[in-house]
Amino acid sequence: MKIPYVQRTVRFDPQQYARLEELATKHSRSMAEVMRLAIAHYLTGEQKRTESQLRHLRVTEYVQVALDAIIRENHPELRDQLIVETDQRVRRYHGA
């Protein structure tokens, strides 16, 4: 049984469109199929984090809070220097 689709026109910036084309080619799918899948993933909430990812984020945040408390209490003179170094490493290693 064929699903009756509703046809719409969508405009993309050239970079988005190029990425969609690349994905479609890479996965041997049509552009329409890639877009439908992307929308379905978004609408069903599959972009949400898994339980494992949430645990990892929680542990990471806990460690950061704990270290910040220790540094504030025992080495407050190093805090600003550590923040500057952290920002430099984020830019260097993560391109942010």
XYZ file of all heavy atoms in Angstrom:
805
model
N 0.846 -1.185 0.000
C 0.000 0.000 0.000
C 0.889 1.245 0.000
O 1.766 1.396 0.831
C -0.882 -0.019 1.242
C -1.779 1.149 1.352
S -2.881 0.820 2.732
C -3.582 2.350 2.961
N 0.670 2.114 -0.927
C 1.462 3.327 -1.060
C 0.950 4.413 -0.118
O -0.239 4.649 -0.006
C 1.426 3.814 -2.505
C 2.393 4.907 -2.785
C 2.466 5.205 -4.247
C 3.484 6.303 -4.431
N 3.808 6.531 -5.799
N 1.883 5.074 0.571
C 1.537 6.152 1.502
C 1.274 7.419 0.698
O 2.101 7.815 -0.131
C 2.693 6.400 2.495
C 2.964 5.148 3.313
C 2.376 7.575 3.407
C 4.205 5.243 4.165
N 0.151 8.088 0.939
C -0.092 9.352 0.236
C 0.741 10.471 0.871
O 0.528 10.812 2.028
C -1.592 9.593 0.430
C -1.931 8.854 1.693
C -0.976 7.702 1.780
N 1.691 10.973 0.151
C 2.566 12.024 0.666
C 1.993 13.399 0.355
O 1.293 13.595 -0.638
C 3.962 11.934 0.028
C 4.774 10.771 0.530
C 5.016 9.680 -0.288
C 5.291 10.766 1.815
C 5.763 8.601 0.172
C 6.039 9.709 2.288
C 6.272 8.628 1.457
O 7.012 7.566 1.920
N 2.302 14.352 1.202
C 1.980 15.751 0.970
C 3.234 16.389 0.410
O 4.311 16.268 0.993
C 1.568 16.452 2.290
C 1.362 17.935 2.068
C 0.339 15.795 2.873
N 3.122 17.044 -0.703
C 4.296 17.643 -1.331
C 4.438 19.091 -0.904
O 3.477 19.850 -0.912
C 4.170 17.563 -2.860
C 5.414 18.019 -3.557
C 5.348 17.746 -5.059
O 4.494 17.012 -5.518
N 6.239 18.343 -5.795
N 5.661 19.462 -0.505
C 5.979 20.822 -0.089
C 7.289 21.238 -0.744
O 8.087 20.399 -1.131
C 6.144 20.922 1.437
C 4.986 20.438 2.268
C 3.679 21.126 2.040
N 3.750 22.559 2.201
C 2.815 23.382 1.765
N 1.763 22.917 1.149
N 2.933 24.662 1.943
N 7.528 22.516 -0.793
C 8.790 23.043 -1.294
C 9.595 23.555 -0.111
O 9.064 24.242 0.763
C 8.546 24.210 -2.277
O 7.769 23.707 -3.361
C 9.851 24.785 -2.788
N 10.866 23.197 -0.078
C 11.737 23.611 1.016
C 12.966 24.277 0.412
O 13.532 23.784 -0.557
C 12.177 22.400 1.873
C 13.091 22.833 2.991
C 10.970 21.661 2.413
N 13.390 25.380 0.996
C 14.601 26.067 0.541
C 15.723 25.795 1.534
O 15.513 25.842 2.738
C 14.360 27.566 0.431
C 13.329 27.920 -0.605
C 13.049 29.420 -0.566
N 11.847 29.711 -1.285
C 11.814 30.220 -2.510
N 12.937 30.501 -3.120
N 10.669 30.454 -3.097
N 16.912 25.525 1.009
C 18.082 25.244 1.837
C 19.192 26.214 1.496
O 19.294 26.664 0.349
C 18.621 23.830 1.561
C 17.655 22.748 1.909
C 16.832 22.192 0.952
C 17.567 22.284 3.211
C 15.941 21.191 1.276
C 16.673 21.278 3.542
C 15.861 20.728 2.567
N 20.027 26.504 2.472
C 21.227 27.238 2.106
C 22.148 26.237 1.396
O 22.017 25.025 1.578
C 21.870 27.932 3.309
C 22.556 27.009 4.293
O 23.309 26.117 3.858
O 22.368 27.195 5.508
N 23.038 26.706 0.557
C 23.865 25.811 -0.252
C 24.671 24.788 0.551
O 24.828 23.641 0.119
C 24.789 26.757 -1.021
C 24.035 28.039 -1.092
C 23.267 28.113 0.200
N 25.139 25.171 1.724
C 25.919 24.237 2.536
C 25.052 23.098 3.060
O 25.472 21.942 3.062
C 26.597 24.968 3.692
C 27.686 25.904 3.231
C 28.230 26.752 4.371
O 27.533 27.043 5.339
N 29.483 27.158 4.244
N 23.842 23.420 3.519
C 22.928 22.372 3.976
C 22.594 21.417 2.835
O 22.583 20.207 3.014
C 21.621 22.974 4.498
C 21.712 23.641 5.835
C 20.374 24.254 6.221
O 19.599 24.697 5.376
N 20.120 24.299 7.514
N 22.314 21.987 1.691
C 21.939 21.168 0.543
C 23.085 20.246 0.136
O 22.874 19.065 -0.137
C 21.521 22.053 -0.631
C 20.895 21.257 -1.744
C 19.569 20.842 -1.647
C 21.617 20.902 -2.871
C 18.988 20.097 -2.653
C 21.048 20.148 -3.880
C 19.727 19.752 -3.766
O 19.149 18.997 -4.767
N 24.296 20.757 0.146
C 25.463 19.942 -0.195
C 25.624 18.792 0.793
O 25.943 17.662 0.398
C 26.725 20.808 -0.224
N 25.402 19.062 2.060
C 25.496 17.987 3.071
C 24.427 16.938 2.859
O 24.668 15.743 2.996
C 25.399 18.567 4.477
C 26.665 19.335 4.834
C 27.006 19.373 6.285
N 27.007 18.081 6.936
C 26.682 17.913 8.200
N 26.332 18.922 8.943
N 26.715 16.715 8.748
N 23.208 17.380 2.539
C 22.131 16.429 2.272
C 22.460 15.562 1.051
O 22.251 14.347 1.068
C 20.808 17.159 2.051
C 20.138 17.716 3.298
C 18.977 18.624 2.916
C 19.659 16.582 4.192
N 22.969 16.187 0.009
C 23.367 15.431 -1.192
C 24.445 14.407 -0.853
O 24.394 13.263 -1.299
C 23.904 16.374 -2.271
C 22.846 17.026 -3.095
C 23.453 17.816 -4.243
O 24.463 18.514 -4.027
O 22.896 17.718 -5.346
N 25.402 14.838 -0.063
C 26.502 13.957 0.348
C 25.971 12.752 1.134
O 26.367 11.618 0.878
C 27.483 14.766 1.205
C 28.717 14.035 1.638
C 29.609 14.925 2.497
O 29.905 16.056 2.070
O 29.975 14.476 3.598
N 25.056 13.010 2.071
C 24.463 11.921 2.853
C 23.657 10.974 1.974
O 23.730 9.751 2.126
C 23.562 12.480 3.951
C 24.245 12.990 5.203
C 23.239 13.696 6.106
C 24.905 11.845 5.947
N 22.876 11.536 1.067
C 22.063 10.704 0.180
C 22.954 9.793 -0.658
O 22.696 8.592 -0.776
C 21.196 11.590 -0.714
N 24.006 10.344 -1.209
C 24.930 9.556 -2.019
C 25.631 8.500 -1.172
O 25.698 7.323 -1.552
C 25.980 10.473 -2.683
O 25.293 11.422 -3.497
C 26.951 9.684 -3.523
N 26.114 8.908 -0.025
C 26.841 8.001 0.866
C 25.992 6.799 1.266
O 26.484 5.683 1.362
C 27.295 8.768 2.105
C 28.058 7.945 3.118
C 28.461 8.805 4.308
C 29.149 7.992 5.374
N 29.486 8.803 6.540
N 24.695 7.027 1.501
C 23.812 5.965 1.977
C 22.921 5.387 0.878
O 21.982 4.634 1.168
C 22.956 6.473 3.135
C 23.772 6.847 4.336
N 24.345 5.912 5.161
C 24.133 8.056 4.824
C 25.012 6.523 6.115
N 24.905 7.833 5.935
N 23.207 5.766 -0.360
C 22.438 5.274 -1.523
C 20.933 5.485 -1.333
O 20.132 4.568 -1.501
C 22.735 3.796 -1.789
O 24.095 3.605 -2.039
N 20.572 6.684 -0.962
C 19.169 7.041 -0.756
C 18.848 8.279 -1.577
O 19.739 9.029 -1.961
C 18.887 7.325 0.720
C 19.079 6.127 1.628
C 18.802 6.520 3.067
N 19.054 5.425 3.982
C 18.120 4.611 4.442
N 16.883 4.752 4.058
N 18.433 3.648 5.287
N 17.568 8.505 -1.779
C 17.154 9.727 -2.467
C 17.228 10.897 -1.489
O 17.211 10.717 -0.271
C 15.724 9.581 -2.995
O 14.811 9.554 -1.915
N 17.284 12.096 -2.048
C 17.289 13.297 -1.199
C 16.004 13.354 -0.368
O 16.038 13.679 0.806
C 17.393 14.557 -2.062
C 18.749 14.763 -2.694
S 19.922 15.425 -1.520
C 19.320 17.087 -1.371
N 14.873 13.025 -1.002
C 13.601 13.065 -0.289
C 13.611 12.098 0.887
O 13.125 12.415 1.982
C 12.456 12.726 -1.245
N 14.172 10.914 0.684
C 14.221 9.926 1.755
C 15.097 10.407 2.916
O 14.745 10.266 4.080
C 14.735 8.593 1.212
C 14.600 7.457 2.178
C 14.998 6.118 1.577
O 15.488 6.073 0.433
O 14.828 5.122 2.292
N 16.236 11.010 2.594
C 17.123 11.534 3.632
C 16.408 12.628 4.425
O 16.462 12.647 5.658
C 18.440 12.069 3.023
C 19.247 12.847 4.049
C 19.256 10.926 2.461
N 15.708 13.508 3.733
C 14.991 14.581 4.430
C 13.854 14.026 5.284
O 13.651 14.464 6.416
C 14.472 15.608 3.431
C 15.606 16.445 2.832
S 15.039 17.780 1.785
C 14.631 16.891 0.304
N 13.104 13.044 4.760
C 12.031 12.442 5.555
C 12.585 11.770 6.808
O 12.020 11.883 7.903
C 11.235 11.442 4.717
C 10.225 12.094 3.785
C 9.245 11.096 3.217
N 9.874 10.133 2.320
C 10.031 10.300 1.013
N 9.595 11.405 0.438
N 10.605 9.381 0.286
N 13.709 11.056 6.656
C 14.333 10.406 7.806
C 14.803 11.424 8.842
O 14.616 11.231 10.051
C 15.510 9.538 7.364
C 15.147 8.222 6.682
C 16.383 7.594 6.050
C 14.519 7.269 7.683
N 15.421 12.504 8.372
C 15.895 13.544 9.294
C 14.729 14.156 10.067
O 14.805 14.352 11.279
C 16.659 14.619 8.521
N 13.646 14.426 9.378
C 12.467 15.005 10.030
C 11.861 14.001 11.006
O 11.488 14.354 12.129
C 11.440 15.470 8.979
C 12.016 16.665 8.211
C 10.105 15.810 9.630
C 11.247 17.037 6.961
N 11.780 12.744 10.609
C 11.230 11.710 11.492
C 12.063 11.582 12.761
O 11.512 11.492 13.868
C 11.169 10.371 10.763
N 13.382 11.584 12.622
C 14.258 11.509 13.794
C 14.026 12.704 14.705
O 13.961 12.566 15.927
C 15.732 11.456 13.379
C 16.158 10.130 12.884
N 16.723 9.179 13.685
C 16.087 9.574 11.652
C 16.995 8.104 12.979
N 16.609 8.316 11.738
N 13.911 13.871 14.132
C 13.688 15.076 14.931
C 12.345 15.016 15.652
O 12.254 15.280 16.848
C 13.761 16.316 14.035
C 13.572 17.587 14.800
C 14.622 18.155 15.513
C 12.331 18.220 14.841
C 14.452 19.317 16.241
C 12.155 19.375 15.563
C 13.209 19.925 16.267
O 13.031 21.064 16.990
N 11.293 14.647 14.919
C 9.950 14.639 15.490
C 9.754 13.566 16.552
O 8.996 13.749 17.495
C 8.899 14.461 14.383
C 8.766 15.644 13.425
C 7.790 15.301 12.315
C 8.338 16.906 14.148
N 10.443 12.454 16.410
C 10.274 11.374 17.400
C 11.212 11.532 18.582
O 11.212 10.711 19.488
C 10.497 9.986 16.762
O 11.816 9.919 16.224
C 9.480 9.700 15.690
N 12.013 12.561 18.567
C 12.876 12.823 19.709
C 14.122 11.969 19.745
O 14.761 11.854 20.781
N 14.493 11.381 18.638
C 15.680 10.544 18.628
C 16.962 11.348 18.788
O 18.016 10.779 18.986
C 15.718 9.697 17.357
C 14.666 8.629 17.355
C 14.802 7.692 16.182
O 15.900 7.560 15.632
O 13.784 7.093 15.822
N 16.827 12.676 18.726
C 17.994 13.515 18.940
C 18.317 13.625 20.422
O 19.348 14.151 20.801
C 17.801 14.892 18.309
C 16.975 15.868 19.108
C 15.467 15.636 19.030
O 15.007 14.687 18.433
N 14.703 16.507 19.635
N 17.436 13.132 21.293
C 17.680 13.192 22.731
C 18.839 12.280 23.104
O 19.139 11.304 22.434
C 16.425 12.786 23.500
C 15.295 13.775 23.327
C 14.085 13.330 24.091
C 12.945 14.304 23.869
N 11.718 13.843 24.480
N 19.442 12.576 24.179
C 20.598 11.808 24.627
C 20.175 10.476 25.225
O 19.124 10.364 25.840
C 21.375 12.612 25.646
C 21.774 13.982 25.124
C 22.927 14.533 25.888
N 23.208 15.905 25.571
C 23.787 16.332 24.467
N 24.149 15.499 23.562
N 24.019 17.614 24.279
N 21.047 9.496 25.047
C 20.786 8.195 25.643
C 21.062 8.257 27.138
O 21.681 9.204 27.631
C 21.691 7.108 25.032
O 23.057 7.393 25.379
C 21.537 7.036 23.518
N 20.626 7.243 27.855
C 20.861 7.191 29.300
C 22.361 7.214 29.589
O 22.821 7.867 30.520
C 20.221 5.924 29.868
C 20.119 5.937 31.370
C 19.294 4.768 31.890
O 18.254 4.462 31.295
O 19.724 4.193 32.905
N 23.130 6.504 28.784
C 24.581 6.468 28.968
C 25.203 7.847 28.732
O 26.080 8.278 29.485
C 25.207 5.445 28.010
O 26.599 5.441 28.134
N 24.743 8.541 27.705
C 25.255 9.884 27.431
C 24.909 10.837 28.573
O 25.741 11.658 28.975
C 24.691 10.410 26.115
C 25.247 9.715 24.902
C 24.482 10.088 23.642
O 23.273 10.274 23.661
N 25.212 10.181 22.533
N 23.692 10.745 29.093
C 23.299 11.604 30.210
C 24.148 11.317 31.445
O 24.550 12.229 32.162
C 21.818 11.419 30.529
C 20.853 12.007 29.506
C 19.426 11.598 29.837
C 20.988 13.514 29.422
N 24.432 10.033 31.694
C 25.285 9.670 32.831
C 26.675 10.270 32.652
O 27.247 10.836 33.583
C 25.373 8.151 32.956
C 26.217 7.712 34.133
C 26.298 6.173 34.205
N 27.140 5.773 35.310
C 28.470 5.736 35.277
N 29.113 6.059 34.182
N 29.170 5.371 36.328
N 27.207 10.155 31.451
C 28.532 10.701 31.168
C 28.548 12.215 31.400
O 29.472 12.749 32.024
C 28.938 10.373 29.730
C 30.245 10.948 29.325
N 31.443 10.364 29.646
C 30.550 12.074 28.644
C 32.428 11.100 29.173
N 31.914 12.147 28.570
N 27.536 12.900 30.915
C 27.459 14.355 31.110
C 27.335 14.713 32.584
O 27.962 15.660 33.056
C 26.275 14.931 30.328
C 26.419 14.909 28.809
C 25.114 15.336 28.155
C 27.562 15.786 28.355
N 26.545 13.936 33.325
C 26.380 14.216 34.752
C 27.690 14.020 35.503
O 28.074 14.844 36.348
C 25.294 13.309 35.333
C 24.932 13.690 36.745
C 23.589 13.088 37.131
N 23.158 13.671 38.388
C 23.118 13.011 39.536
N 23.469 11.755 39.588
N 22.723 13.614 40.625
N 28.404 12.934 35.205
C 29.692 12.673 35.851
C 30.677 13.791 35.509
O 31.388 14.298 36.376
C 30.252 11.294 35.434
C 31.704 11.133 35.836
C 29.408 10.182 36.039
N 30.698 14.202 34.247
C 31.601 15.267 33.814
C 31.299 16.569 34.561
O 32.215 17.231 35.053
C 31.494 15.489 32.294
O 31.835 14.267 31.632
C 32.417 16.591 31.820
N 30.038 16.927 34.647
C 29.661 18.150 35.357
C 30.014 18.059 36.845
O 30.486 19.015 37.434
C 28.173 18.450 35.182
C 27.804 18.899 33.792
C 28.486 20.188 33.365
O 28.769 21.054 34.223
O 28.745 20.333 32.164
N 29.790 16.890 37.444
C 30.119 16.701 38.855
C 31.610 16.913 39.088
O 32.018 17.611 40.018
C 29.700 15.298 39.313
C 30.068 15.019 40.747
C 29.234 15.421 41.782
C 31.262 14.382 41.071
C 29.571 15.194 43.106
C 31.606 14.140 42.394
C 30.760 14.549 43.409
O 31.099 14.326 44.709
N 32.423 16.306 38.224
C 33.879 16.442 38.353
C 34.286 17.907 38.214
O 35.117 18.405 38.975
C 34.606 15.553 37.317
C 36.084 15.882 37.249
C 34.399 14.082 37.641
N 33.681 18.610 37.274
C 34.016 20.014 37.085
C 33.642 20.851 38.306
O 34.416 21.698 38.752
C 33.317 20.561 35.830
C 33.912 19.998 34.558
C 33.123 20.393 33.333
O 31.935 20.685 33.412
N 33.790 20.413 32.195
N 32.465 20.614 38.862
C 32.031 21.356 40.040
C 32.947 21.044 41.226
O 33.364 21.947 41.965
C 30.553 21.037 40.377
C 30.166 21.580 41.744
C 29.647 21.601 39.309
N 33.264 19.759 41.401
C 34.128 19.362 42.519
C 35.511 19.983 42.384
O 36.057 20.523 43.359
C 34.231 17.834 42.575
N 36.087 19.923 41.183
C 37.417 20.517 40.987
C 37.387 22.024 41.192
O 38.305 22.594 41.789
C 37.948 20.190 39.597
C 38.514 18.799 39.403
C 38.847 18.548 37.935
C 39.740 18.597 40.257
N 36.345 22.667 40.724
C 36.247 24.108 40.902
C 36.181 24.455 42.395
O 36.832 25.405 42.840
C 35.027 24.654 40.163
C 35.069 26.168 40.023
O 36.150 26.706 39.688
O 34.028 26.809 40.250
N 35.425 23.678 43.165
C 35.332 23.926 44.604
C 36.694 23.736 45.275
O 37.094 24.550 46.127
C 34.298 22.985 45.228
N 37.414 22.698 44.890
C 38.738 22.435 45.467
C 39.711 23.555 45.111
O 40.455 24.052 45.964
C 39.275 21.060 44.993
C 38.450 19.936 45.621
C 40.750 20.899 45.336
C 38.678 18.573 44.976
N 39.685 23.971 43.852
C 40.594 25.039 43.415
C 40.257 26.356 44.112
O 41.146 27.062 44.573
C 40.550 25.195 41.878
C 41.200 23.970 41.224
C 41.242 26.477 41.433
C 40.927 23.828 39.755
N 38.972 26.675 44.207
C 38.567 27.917 44.892
C 39.040 27.925 46.348
O 39.462 28.947 46.859
C 37.059 28.084 44.857
C 36.508 28.547 43.551
C 34.974 28.593 43.642
N 34.380 28.693 42.343
C 33.826 29.801 41.861
N 33.810 30.895 42.587
N 33.299 29.818 40.660
N 38.961 26.770 46.983
C 39.316 26.692 48.396
C 40.824 26.618 48.615
O 41.361 27.315 49.476
C 38.668 25.461 49.033
C 38.874 25.396 50.537
C 38.112 24.248 51.164
O 36.976 23.996 50.736
O 38.671 23.614 52.085
N 41.518 25.805 47.844
C 42.934 25.541 48.105
C 43.915 26.313 47.227
O 45.056 26.516 47.627
C 43.216 24.042 47.969
C 42.451 23.221 48.971
O 42.261 23.644 50.099
N 41.995 22.058 48.559
N 43.488 26.700 46.025
C 44.401 27.390 45.105
C 43.665 28.471 44.308
O 43.680 28.464 43.076
C 45.032 26.393 44.129
C 45.777 25.293 44.794
N 47.011 25.488 45.375
C 45.461 23.993 44.992
C 47.432 24.349 45.888
N 46.501 23.416 45.683
N 43.042 29.428 44.976
C 42.274 30.445 44.250
C 43.134 31.263 43.285
O 42.629 31.754 42.279
C 41.684 31.315 45.359
C 42.523 31.053 46.558
C 43.044 29.653 46.405
N 44.427 31.366 43.569
C 45.313 32.144 42.700
C 45.501 31.483 41.328
O 45.902 32.139 40.366
C 46.688 32.356 43.378
C 47.591 31.122 43.435
C 47.226 30.080 44.497
O 46.257 30.278 45.254
O 47.930 29.072 44.564
N 45.208 30.192 41.211
C 45.376 29.474 39.939
C 44.119 29.460 39.075
O 44.179 29.125 37.899
C 45.802 28.021 40.204
C 47.154 27.804 40.842
C 47.384 26.317 41.097
C 48.256 28.360 39.960
N 42.989 29.810 39.649
C 41.707 29.650 38.956
C 41.655 30.384 37.620
O 41.300 29.800 36.600
C 40.554 30.103 39.848
C 39.207 29.751 39.259
C 38.091 29.950 40.276
N 36.838 29.487 39.714
C 36.077 30.217 38.897
N 36.450 31.436 38.552
N 34.951 29.727 38.413
N 41.994 31.660 37.581
C 41.944 32.423 36.330
C 42.883 31.837 35.281
O 42.531 31.728 34.098
C 42.263 33.897 36.576
C 41.156 34.611 37.331
O 40.008 34.111 37.341
O 41.444 35.671 37.934
N 44.067 31.448 35.707
C 45.040 30.853 34.790
C 44.498 29.534 34.214
O 44.652 29.263 33.023
C 46.349 30.598 35.525
C 47.432 29.978 34.683
C 48.683 29.682 35.519
O 48.847 30.177 36.623
N 49.558 28.860 34.960
N 43.850 28.740 35.037
C 43.282 27.471 34.579
C 42.146 27.686 33.583
O 42.008 26.946 32.605
C 42.796 26.643 35.775
C 43.895 26.089 36.679
C 43.290 25.506 37.948
C 44.719 25.055 35.951
N 41.337 28.702 33.813
C 40.240 29.010 32.888
C 40.792 29.443 31.537
O 40.316 29.004 30.481
C 39.298 30.069 33.489
C 38.529 29.451 34.659
C 38.337 30.614 32.439
C 37.713 30.423 35.457
N 41.821 30.284 31.531
C 42.444 30.717 30.276
C 43.008 29.512 29.525
O 42.791 29.360 28.321
C 43.551 31.772 30.542
C 44.396 32.018 29.306
C 42.935 33.067 31.045
N 43.719 28.634 30.212
C 44.289 27.441 29.583
C 43.195 26.524 29.046
O 43.320 25.957 27.962
C 45.166 26.677 30.585
C 45.785 25.414 30.030
C 46.781 25.632 28.900
O 47.351 26.742 28.797
O 46.986 24.682 28.118
N 42.112 26.384 29.796
C 40.986 25.567 29.339
C 40.416 26.119 28.043
O 40.178 25.370 27.083
C 39.888 25.515 30.420
O 40.430 24.926 31.594
C 38.687 24.715 29.948
N 40.178 27.426 27.983
C 39.646 28.048 26.770
C 40.580 27.840 25.581
O 40.129 27.563 24.467
C 39.392 29.538 26.996
C 38.223 29.794 27.940
O 37.413 28.867 28.147
O 38.133 30.924 28.465
N 41.884 27.967 25.804
C 42.855 27.757 24.728
C 42.795 26.314 24.213
O 42.841 26.072 23.014
C 44.267 28.086 25.207
C 44.505 29.557 25.414
C 45.852 29.858 26.053
O 46.567 28.951 26.478
N 46.192 31.130 26.134
N 42.693 25.357 25.129
C 42.639 23.952 24.728
C 41.333 23.621 23.993
O 41.347 22.837 23.054
C 42.799 23.048 25.951
C 44.200 23.046 26.477
C 44.327 22.150 27.670
N 45.689 22.199 28.193
C 46.254 21.209 28.852
N 45.587 20.098 29.087
N 47.482 21.334 29.289
N 40.242 24.222 24.424
C 38.962 23.998 23.729
C 39.073 24.474 22.281
O 38.676 23.779 21.355
C 37.797 24.694 24.466
C 36.556 24.738 23.599
C 37.498 23.979 25.769
N 39.651 25.659 22.093
C 39.828 26.168 20.727
C 40.773 25.287 19.930
O 40.507 24.959 18.780
C 40.349 27.607 20.773
C 39.270 28.633 21.072
C 39.761 30.064 20.841
N 40.837 30.457 21.742
C 40.667 30.885 22.988
N 39.450 30.956 23.488
N 41.683 31.228 23.736
N 41.888 24.884 20.533
C 42.895 24.094 19.848
C 42.397 22.695 19.470
O 42.570 22.231 18.363
C 44.154 23.970 20.712
C 45.312 23.281 20.002
C 46.586 23.184 20.836
N 46.747 24.264 21.785
C 47.140 24.112 23.053
N 47.429 22.925 23.533
N 47.260 25.147 23.860
N 41.772 22.018 20.410
C 41.398 20.621 20.208
C 39.977 20.398 19.723
O 39.657 19.320 19.221
C 41.637 19.817 21.491
C 43.094 19.830 21.924
C 43.448 20.342 23.165
C 44.090 19.343 21.097
C 44.775 20.356 23.565
C 45.423 19.357 21.485
C 45.758 19.868 22.724
O 47.069 19.881 23.107
N 39.106 21.386 19.902
C 37.708 21.186 19.558
C 37.181 22.228 18.567
O 36.012 22.191 18.218
C 36.839 21.179 20.824
C 37.300 20.180 21.831
N 37.118 18.825 21.694
C 37.997 20.330 22.991
C 37.634 18.194 22.727
N 38.181 19.076 23.518
N 38.032 23.149 18.188
C 37.640 24.135 17.187
C 36.517 25.055 17.624
O 35.792 25.574 16.800
N 36.383 25.250 18.917
C 35.287 26.124 19.400
C 35.831 27.447 19.874
O 36.942 27.618 20.208
C 34.558 25.432 20.551
